[in-house]
Structures are given as C-alpha cells and as structure tokens.
Amino acid sequence: MKGSETPYDVIVVGGGHAGCEAALAASRMGVKTLLITMSIPTIAQMSCNPAIGGPAKGHLVREIDALGGEMGLAIDETGIQFRMLNLSKGPAVWAPRAQADRLEYSVRMRCALESQKRLTIFQGMVTGVWLQGQKIGGVQTETGRHIAGRSVILTCGTFLNGLTHIGLDSFPAGRAGEFPAVGLTESLRDLGFEPGRLKTGTPPRVDGQSIDFSRMEVQHGDKEPRPFSWRTERIDIDQLPVYLTYTHNGTHDILASGLDRSPLYSGKIKGVGPRYCPSIEDKIVRFGEKDRHQIFLEPEGRRSSEYYVNGFATSLPEDVQIQALRTIPGMEEAAVTRLGYAIEYDFFPPTQLTPTLETKRIPCLFFAGQINGTSGYEEAAAQGLMAGINAVLKIRDEAPFLLDRSEAYIGVLIDDLATKGTNEPYRLFTSRAEYRLLLRQDNADLRLMNQGHRMDLIPDEIFARVEEKGAFIKQLLEEVHHIKPDLNIINPILENLGTTPLESRQSIFRLLKRPQVRMEDLRTISEIGKLMKLLGDLRKEIVEQVEIEVKYEGYFKRQREQVDRFKRMEERHIPENFAYDNISALSKEAREKLGQVRPVSLGQAARISGVSPADISVLTLYLEKASAA
C-alpha cells in the first residue's frame, strides 16, 4: 500500500510529552516532520499532577535539556513553584522539582511546536500503520487517509483502547472527556506485536475557595530557585505555596466502606497498576498499620482556583470520594470540581524494541512513552527525544545514538525497558542507577551537551558556554591542589567555621574535604579570591562542581573503576543473529530470554532476568571461539 502524498521523513503519532520531544528533535535535525494528535488544544497536557521533576525525574529533565529537548525550558517559563529536593542528603539524589501552571505549560509547548520549521501539526486519529515492503510505509487515519512516512514514532499515551472507571461505572476514554484511540492496537497485533494491559489513575481536583488552608502546613518554594534548563539565566517570579495535610482513621473507614464498589477490588479492572504510586484505597489496604497518609494540595495554575489533591488517587464511587475528602483537615467544605478515576489502556511490552526504541519486527517504526509501559511525563519525554533522534539517524543511514547506563539516567531507563521489560507501569528512581554518583542532575550539561551539539540540537553559543565551564572547573581543580595558605590566614577562618586549626600548611584541596569548609568561606584568601573573580557569571556552577569533586573524590574513583568494568562488558558485542538455540550448555530459560531480547552486548545479556552468571560464562566462551575463528 502506498500513500498518495509526498512522504514525510518522520511521522509522530500523539501530542503528549513524548510526541512533542520526538517531533521537535526530528524537525530540528532538518527533516520534514508531521505530528498527528487527536486534539491540538490538549498538546502537552499534564494529565495527572501539575508538576515536573523530582528524584530521578528531575535528573531526566536536566539530561533532556542538555541534549536539546524542550521540557526544561517549558517548565522554567511556566513554573509557579521551584524546589530542590533532598538537599540534606548527598548530591547524587539532589533533585529539582517545579509546580507548573497546567494550562500555560501546554500553551508554551504548543507554541514551540507551531513555530518550529519543517514541522506540521495535524488533528486526527491514527487507526493503523501500513508497510512498504518489509518496513514501515506510513499511517492510516480514521477517515481512511493514508499518510506516507519514512519513519513513524508511536507515542499514544493512555489512549490505546482507553477505558476509564469511577466506581462500577466505566466508559471509553483516553483520559476524562476525551475519546480513546481505537484500531491501532489491532493493526499492530495483526503485524505480530504482542500487546498488554495496564492501569493508572488520578485524584480528584477541588475548588481552592472551598478549602481552609489555615488548617494545613504551608510549603514555600526555594528563595533562589534554580532553573531546569542551562539556557535559562534565572527564575524571577512570585512563587505560589503548596499545602500539606493528612488523612486519618476516619478517612480510612469511609474509604474502606466503598471497597465493594471499587473497580480495583471488585475485579472490574484487569490491567496492572503502578506499584510505586498506589491509589488511596490501595494504600489503606496494603498499609493498614498506618493511621495517616500525606495529602498535598497543589495549585493547578496561577489564575486558577483549582487544586490537585496529590496523594489521593482513587477510582472509588463519587459519593465515597466526596465524603472521604471532607474528613481531611482543611477540606471539610471541599467542593470537588473533578472526580478521581482509573484508566486502563493498551501497551506493548518493550522487549519488542531495540535500544534505539525501534521495533525489532518492523524497521523504521519506533515506540516511545506510555506505549512502552512507562509512567511519568519525564520518562515519556526522554524516550520521545531519543526516538526522534534515532528516527532521523535511521533514515540517514547513520549510526544510532545510544546512551548506556554509565552515561545517563536516559540510558538506565531505556536499557531497563529493552532488556528487562515491564509488566507494570515503570517509574524511574535514583536507586535504579548503579552509577548515580556520576549521573547527577548538576553535571548533565558536562556529560551530555556535546552529544546534543553534535546532533545540531544545541546551538554553538550554548555549547561554547559549557566548554568554558568545563575548562574553568579543570583549572580550579588544579589550582586548589597547589594553593597552601599561611597558617595565620587560614586558622582564624577554620576556627570561625568550628573546625580544627592546622599545625602545618595544607592545600585548599585537603581543606575542602572537611564537611564544614566551603569555597565561599575561603574567598578572603587572595589566590582564591582572584580565581573566583575570573569565573564571572559561571562562578556558582563551577564552585559547586569543584566542591563536589573534592569532597566525594574517593567515592567517584571507585565508581569510575566500576564503570570501566561495565564498559568492558558493553564492548563485547554479540552478533545480531547469534544462534542461542544451538548452545546446549545454556539453560533453557537463558536460550529463550536471549532469543527474545536479542542483546547487543554481553553486558546487556547479563542484565536479562533469567540469565544466570553461569550462562554468561558459557556465552563468553562461545563468543571468544567465534571471534577466534
């Protein structure tokens, strides 16, 4: 089957967070791109919580930005509260998070799409894909139109045969008030793909004018908010507060009274829900020993009186939702503007993908976002960006762009999906990253911006700035080894900081290893003061990097040694058509899993569930024999 129109280079299906990043990346790399969405007014809509970032998720946004993505810029311009989380812990888990103006964020991202050269937006429903020979040919819409594309990226979110539930009532919807996408799952199944079914949910929203905030704890944003994007000079806004309150046993009793009408507990919902973000009714069952749960009231926008009830995701009947909410301190008179609901949707287990997010079954067809079983705006956006880049590289017949687990959280995310798969909504955590000390949110520009620049997604002037920053960090690290201030200069400073004075001269490098000592404390030392003046507007970023490098030097050394061992395993490539079934020394499960995943390296093979260290030893031996032959 052939399309009757001039083909697009890349067709992106879906206007959510994955679709936006995929379409922008492809068009910015210079190819003719089409974004098809079921609703232009809801492009980049925040379907659930109005926030970006958090542990691991904030790391992803920083990496997306370093590679030239849009999410960081969009939240910087539309955020209404910014906080750096986990500052009382080590820098590996520091995480930026921002409350967003839900409507403004969507408008901001839509403007970026509409102003992008080589990018066309079309409102319609894709009901299937078709092939040109053995690879993708294009997509078909509900009106029967066939649109040709050299590469197609599916980013369908929760819309594939979406079914929403409130109590024992259910109705087809991709999210509340919007049609589901029908036909596409069936089209992909006919082409040999295996679908699955997942479930997620969202809490009710309430009118802020009906809430007594004086009975809640106030949480303000940071006094000096840090931008997500390295292209944003500063955040200078009046921030809105978030409010904290708690459920109690009375709330739980009311929730429990509705479990017989819960679609989750009555068996009506068949899809698997998120383990790490359970509904409130799931919490009271699974954590029955707890007498309260946190509830955050988060503003939906600067000009909206609506609040998102974070921590109260539910699909219980309407009467139970309202009655339970009104037991929570400060919410006794709460006016519910939107009910919470659960949604079931189709996904495609991601072991059907290569590490580029291209499907193994059909060349030039890519999946990104919740279609791969992930949850979260940030996980979706990261996949969309990588799929957009690799779709362009594929049609150019260039080497794919891959990030491994030692290079980026994006690498951890995609490797987990393609190697291990998922049978529940996948969420990224810092604990999933073996090398998280090296993959901090504060150094994503130093780690990845050269790659974004190479892909023509980062402008020359932005990349020049990060190169200058890297050079200054190197220079300052060298200097602090050599500067050894006189005792009569340094000891008063150390005594003032509450740390032991010196008996003999030591380098600034050694002094900075003390937890009490910061570079700013030493700026009165002439050599340090002169160096810090040279750093200009990059001073704060550079000093932070130097302090982290010095204070955690030993940990970094050990982790870099671990990375070296990891790299050696990753460099042991496995031929694409390697005959695992012919190796009888491998366990039956290993032969099955290896044949299904088709790992690209020995390292990836070792991370497959069901492949034992003994299997890896056997595989190593056979690879060595094959390379020697």
Side-chain angles (χ1 to χ4, degrees), residues 573-608:
H573 294 292
I574 301 176
E576 185 176 352
N577 297 316
F578 193 80
Y580 299 104
D581 286 338
N582 294 341
I583 306 177
S584 59
L586 289 172
S587 69
K588 182 179 179 181
E589 183 180 9
R591 292 198 299 271
E592 179 183 324
K593 293 289 184 66
L594 290 164
Q596 179 188 33
V597 175
R598 288 278 158 197
V600 297
S601 70
L602 198 60
Q604 187 186 6
R607 294 189 294 276
I608 298 173

Side-chain angles (χ1 to χ4, degrees), residues 489-501 516-517 521 524:
I489 294 175
I490 192 62
N491 277 340
I493 296 174
L494 296 178
E495 290 172 353
N496 188 52
L497 294 173
T499 185
T500 307
Q516 304 93 335
V517 180
D521 301 323
T524 54

Side-chain angles (χ1 to χ4, degrees), residues 105-144:
Y105 184 92
S106 176
V107 171
R108 165 62 179 75
M109 192 65 81
R110 177 178 169 183
C111 289
L113 293 164
E114 290 182 339
S115 62
Q116 181 59 46
K117 294 179 180 179
R118 295 176 292 275
L119 176 57
T120 302
I121 304 173
F122 175 71
Q123 182 168 298
M125 182 192 295
V126 170
T127 56
V129 298
W130 47 274
L131 304 185
Q132 187 78 47
Q134 297 299 310
K135 67 179 184 177
I136 199 70
V139 300
Q140 177 178 328
T141 70
E142 81 277 24
T143 61

Side-chain angles (χ1 to χ4, degrees), residues 221-449:
D222 293 341
K223 290 182 179 179
E224 295 184 19
R226 301 190 193 187
F228 277 85
S229 175
W230 279 277
R231 292 167 281 179
T232 301
E233 290 188 12
R234 59 178 297 169
I235 304 291
D236 189 12
I237 60 166
D238 292 327
Q239 299 186 68
L240 300 186
V242 167
Y243 298 90
L244 171 64
T245 185
Y246 297 88
T247 64
H248 52 77
N249 287 330
T251 314
H252 303 169
D253 290 342
I254 292 171
L255 293 168
S257 73
L259 291 180
D260 61 330
R261 292 184 288 153
S262 162
L264 182 64
Y265 284 94
S266 67
K268 191 170 185 181
I269 290 178
K270 305 300 182 186
V272 181
R275 180 186 313 184
Y276 304 105
C277 188
S279 64
I280 188 67
E281 57 265 36
D282 205 13
K283 288 179 187 177
I284 67 166
V285 173
R286 289 167 53 188
F287 309 108
E289 74 283 0
K290 291 195 173 185
D291 57 9
R292 70 175 190 172
H293 295 282
Q294 287 184 331
I295 301 294
F296 291 92
L297 272 289
E298 300 176 343
E300 291 272 320
R302 193 172 293 280
R303 291 174 289 180
S304 172
S305 64
E306 202 171 28
Y307 278 75
Y308 175 89
V309 189
N310 194 342
F312 203 89
T314 182
S315 57
L316 287 168
E318 179 175 2
D319 60 315
V320 179
Q321 290 191 34
I322 295 173
Q323 189 180 356
L325 276 173
R326 288 178 176 170
T327 66
I328 298 173
M331 300 182 69
E332 291 84 356
E333 303 295 328
V336 175
T337 57
R338 285 184 271 181
L339 291 168
Y341 62 89
I343 182 166
E344 287 186 279
Y345 56 95
D346 295 337
F347 85 111
F348 288 84
T351 50
Q352 299 173 89
L353 304 176
T354 71
T356 66
L357 299 179
E358 182 182 26
T359 65
K360 296 173 182 176
R361 188 170 292 275
I362 299 176
C364 297
L365 175 62
F366 295 76
F367 293 171
Q370 284 181 288
I371 191 173
N372 291 335
T374 59
S375 66
Y377 313 139
E378 303 85 357
E379 288 92 339
Q383 293 172 71
L385 176 65
M386 295 298 285
I389 291 171
N390 279 307
V392 174
L393 296 176
K394 180 76 174 184
I395 61 179
R396 288 177 177 170
D397 199 26
E398 295 181 15
F401 176 47
L402 301 173
L403 292 169
D404 67 41
R405 302 181 73 91
S406 70
E407 294 175 300
Y409 271 87
I410 294 175
V412 174
L413 166 67
I414 294 177
D415 183 64
D416 277 354
L417 295 174
T419 303
K420 302 174 184 176
T422 187
N423 56 9
E424 62 183 75
Y426 174 99
R427 178 179 177 181
L428 191 61
F429 295 97
T430 54
S431 59
R432 294 190 191 270
E434 302 92 329
Y435 314 111
R436 56 185 174 274
L437 270 176
L438 304 178
L439 306 183
R440 304 184 310 279
Q441 54 81 31
D442 58 83
N443 68 1
D445 57 338
L446 298 167
R447 289 187 282 116
L448 298 175
M449 201 171 278

Side-chain angles (χ1 to χ4, degrees), residues 428-580:
L428 191 61
F429 295 97
T430 54
S431 59
R432 294 190 191 270
E434 302 92 329
Y435 314 111
R436 56 185 174 274
L437 270 176
L438 304 178
L439 306 183
R440 304 184 310 279
Q441 54 81 31
D442 58 83
N443 68 1
D445 57 338
L446 298 167
R447 289 187 282 116
L448 298 175
M449 201 171 278
N450 62 322
Q451 301 279 24
H453 182 253
R454 181 171 66 86
M455 300 295 172
D456 295 325
L457 296 174
I458 292 291
D460 291 343
E461 62 272 17
I462 301 298
F463 184 55
R465 180 182 170 88
V466 81
E467 284 193 305
E468 180 185 29
K469 175 180 168 181
F472 273 136
I473 291 169
K474 183 179 180 181
Q475 178 185 353
L476 191 54
L477 276 170
E478 291 175 353
E479 293 290 345
V480 295
H481 276 90
H482 302 307
I483 299 172
K484 296 181 178 180
D486 291 336
L487 296 183
N488 62 341
I489 294 175
I490 192 62
N491 277 340
I493 296 174
L494 296 178
E495 290 172 353
N496 188 52
L497 294 173
T499 185
T500 307
L502 301 178
E503 295 182 0
S504 60
R505 293 175 66 171
Q506 290 184 8
S507 69
I508 296 296
F509 182 86
R510 288 192 63 183
L511 289 172
L512 284 173
K513 286 187 173 293
R514 298 187 182 192
Q516 304 93 335
V517 180
R518 306 290 300 276
M519 186 75 77
E520 285 291 335
D521 301 323
L522 308 178
R523 65 186 182 279
T524 54
I525 298 171
S526 60
E527 297 98 327
I528 296 296
K530 289 177 184 178
L531 281 171
M532 292 180 77
K533 283 183 180 179
L534 292 174
L535 305 181
D537 61 348
L538 289 171
R539 170 176 164 175
K540 189 173 182 179
E541 296 177 37
I542 293 167
V543 167
E544 181 180 69
Q545 290 297 304
V546 169
E547 286 182 349
I548 291 172
E549 284 289 333
V550 173
K551 292 183 184 298
Y552 294 88
E553 180 196 25
Y555 297 102
F556 291 155
K557 182 180 179 181
R558 286 194 291 274
Q559 197 140 100
R560 286 172 180 134
E561 290 171 352
Q562 293 170 359
V563 168
D564 288 341
R565 291 193 292 272
F566 165 81
K567 290 284 190 183
R568 288 194 289 272
M569 291 282 282
E570 295 301 300
E571 289 168 0
R572 299 290 301 274
H573 294 292
I574 301 176
E576 185 176 352
N577 297 316
F578 193 80
Y580 299 104

